[in-house]
Amino acid sequence: MTSRGTPSRFLRSVLQNGVGRYVCQLKRISIVFSKKAQSSLGARDFIEEGVVDYANKNPGTVVYVSPQPCRVPKIVAEYLNGNVREETITSKTSQQISELLTKLTNQSGLEIIHIRKPFHTDSPSIQGLWHPFTNRPLSIGPIRPQKPDSQ
Amino acid sequence: MASGYLLNRGALTLGIHCQRVCRDISLSQVREKKRWMKAYTYLMAKKLKLEGPPPPTPRSQQPHWDYHAEIQAFTHRLHENFSLELLKTVFTNPCYLQMEQEKRKGLGVESETAALVLKDNMQLSKKGSAFAESFLIDWCRASFPSLPAIGVESIVGHLTSPAVITYVAKNLGIEDLTMSAEFPVPDDVLCSTFMAVIGALQESSGAERTGLFLRDFLVTQLIGKDLFDMWTVVNPMGLLVEELTKRKIPLPEPRLIRSAGASTVLPLYFVGLYSDKKLLAQGPGETLAAAEEEAARVALRKLYGYTENRRPFDFSPQQQQQQQPFIQSASN
């Protein structure tokens, strides 16, 4: 059977997050930017204004700030399930970077690929899944089409 | 062109000759075309193909790591308060201490001048695993009062098995913080670290909060699992007969209810178990024996209250008033 060219997964959460308590899945972010380059201007502004507020609001995430000579500033986000996501923040403004960070914080670490169904349940049926024998009266002898009840 | 060699696609698209060199800037660097770059890249690719990928290194040995900050974030992330000195001992494993002692001996450092002031986590780990077992047994008995002791043991055994504990520990970030001799951290070391976390939580915050922690992270692993995945029952019919004699219900008689495709390669039979002419349970199977066994299992699930459509477990945050962890159930 042919399948989609791109990978896909089912909707799920890491470790049934949210059923018990909610655990923020982002464990650390590293902001790598340059001290002098133009593309890191937004990153430098964000470090001046917004990063301390972000770190205070998310005490469960470790924020590493790393000024290095680099051409492309990036944010490396590591999640609890081991996935690592890199986002480049070249020529983004401070506001855009903080929105990006909010987006990364709210994600679980699962891959951003096609989700087959937008729903998932562990108890698909309360009264029992239908199968062709449900609600069929028992019979002795050959099976005939059911006569409609005449009432 | 690059026949037989795996090359980074980026190298091909950017043009191999203009690749950036490593970060330490020296005066001998030039920006022009580097004639050695192609040969170097091909050699490195060949080496990678020969030797395979490099072995994984622990997160603490990769850039951007601050142990104190990581431990603080760990406590905040789980919404718990641990005392920090306890946490420092929680993640220290005896194998790590041994390795450090050997390193010091190897370097010739005297044990008095540079004594290792770390305690290992064996005590906390034992305490934690004892508490975890007792809590899980009590929780099981409270949620499934008619489940017999063997069933409770198997469920608790499954929940405290290395497979489940390592899965939970890896997805909580405990593997990064563990200090152990080998990497990747072996399963038993990870399990004992997780139990040490439980022990430390018990000492810092008390039994109730530890119970809630275990409920939120271990009991949730039961969601979607069937009873007989965790509890291997070899003779379900015999077990059912025992249960029914205990409850003084007449013994089950199997009867064929439905059949389809009896002479085909995929027959289907539904066998129903009747006690005193009332239907206990029915189950499907490919052969009559398989269908009878499945019917016995369905009947057992109904008796123990572990069906798929049972009332879901209560994971609400303020459950302390209703939860009484030391209920002794009178039945069975």
Side-chain angles (χ1 to χ4, degrees), chain B residues 114-125:
Chain B
L116 210 48
V117 199
L118 294 172
K119 277 194 300 177
D120 63 14
N121 60 7
M122 291 304 296
Q123 241 190 345
L124 281 173
S125 170

Side-chain angles (χ1 to χ4, degrees), chain B residues 65-138:
Chain B
W65 178 260
D66 178 2
Y67 196 62
H68 187 75
E70 294 281 342
I71 288 199
Q72 277 187 327
F74 178 73
T75 56
H76 285 292
R77 193 185 298 147
L78 300 173
H79 308 288
E80 299 288 351
N81 297 320
F82 288 92
S83 63
L84 283 183
E85 304 89 43
L86 263 185
L87 265 194
K88 297 257 157 86
T89 44
V90 159
F91 294 110
T92 329
N93 290 295
C95 51
Y96 176 77
L97 286 181
Q98 256 184 351
M99 184 187 74
E100 283 289 305
Q101 297 279 17
E102 274 154 31
K103 261 198 224 168
R104 278 160 202 243
K105 267 192 218 149
L107 289 171
V109 177
E110 300 262 338
S111 54
E112 290 118 22
T113 43
L116 210 48
V117 199
L118 294 172
K119 277 194 300 177
D120 63 14
N121 60 7
M122 291 304 296
Q123 241 190 345
L124 281 173
S125 170
K126 282 188 196 124
K127 199 169 158 199
S129 76
F131 179 85
E133 276 207 37
S134 73
F135 173 81
L136 287 173
I137 288 179
D138 292 327

Side-chain angles (χ1 to χ4, degrees), chain A residues 24-45:
Chain A
C24 177
Q25 293 291 310
L26 186 59
K27 63 180 170 188
R28 64 185 76 89
I29 53 160
S30 318
I31 310 183
V32 172
F33 64 104
S34 161
K35 283 198 246 189
K36 296 280 175 65
Q38 293 163 335
S39 45
S40 314
L41 181 64
R44 291 193 293 271
D45 288 338

Side-chain angles (χ1 to χ4, degrees), chain A residues 12 15-16 19-22 27-28 30 59-60 62 64 66 78 80-81 122 126 133 136-138, chain B residues 59 64-66 70 73 77-80 167 170-171 176 212-213 216 220-221 223 257-258 270 309 315:
Chain A
R12 54 174 277 249
L15 265 210
Q16 313 282 358
V19 174
R21 59 190 74 179
Y22 174 71
K27 63 180 170 188
R28 64 185 76 89
S30 318
V62 191
Y64 293 96
S66 157
E78 290 174 52
L80 282 179
N81 64 350
D122 285 301
I126 301 291
F133 290 123
R136 224 193 152 94
L138 297 173
Chain B
R59 183 66 183 78
H64 302 156
W65 178 260
D66 178 2
E70 294 281 342
R77 193 185 298 147
L78 300 173
H79 308 288
E80 299 288 351
Y167 177 71
K170 281 183 185 168
N171 284 311
D176 291 343
L212 284 178
F213 180 90
D216 287 340
T220 45
Q221 298 303 307
I223 293 178
I257 302 183
R258 315 275 192 187
F270 268 81
N309 57 357
F315 289 110

Side-chain angles (χ1 to χ4, degrees), chain A residues 21-147:
Chain A
R21 59 190 74 179
Y22 174 71
V23 173
C24 177
Q25 293 291 310
L26 186 59
K27 63 180 170 188
R28 64 185 76 89
I29 53 160
S30 318
I31 310 183
V32 172
F33 64 104
S34 161
K35 283 198 246 189
K36 296 280 175 65
Q38 293 163 335
S39 45
S40 314
L41 181 64
R44 291 193 293 271
D45 288 338
F46 178 72
I47 305 280
E48 271 173 48
E49 308 153 14
V51 78
V52 182
D53 294 327
Y54 174 80
N56 285 330
K57 266 199 294 182
N58 309 68
T61 312
V62 191
V63 179
Y64 293 96
V65 164
S66 157
Q68 299 170 356
C70 66
R71 230 179 116 196
V72 158
K74 42 172 107 112
I75 292 184
V76 181
E78 290 174 52
Y79 289 93
L80 282 179
N81 64 350
N83 283 356
V84 175
R85 260 193 86 176
E86 278 192 17
E87 299 266 352
T88 54
I89 45 177
T90 347
S91 313
K92 282 204 159 89
T93 60
S94 174
Q95 170 70 16
Q96 288 171 330
I97 293 179
S98 64
E99 280 169 10
L100 173 68
L101 273 182
T102 339
K103 182 184 90 160
L104 287 175
T105 317
N106 294 334
Q107 282 176 354
S108 76
L110 301 163
E111 291 93 12
I112 312 291
I113 50 181
H114 177 248
I115 296 182
R116 293 193 193 188
K117 308 190 259 194
F119 39 82
H120 168 81
T121 170
D122 285 301
S123 48
S125 162
I126 301 291
Q127 301 181 34
L129 285 177
W130 184 92
H131 51 80
F133 290 123
T134 322
N135 297 331
R136 224 193 152 94
L138 297 173
S139 65
I140 304 174
I143 310 285
R144 298 223 139 84
Q146 287 171 294
K147 282 199 194 119

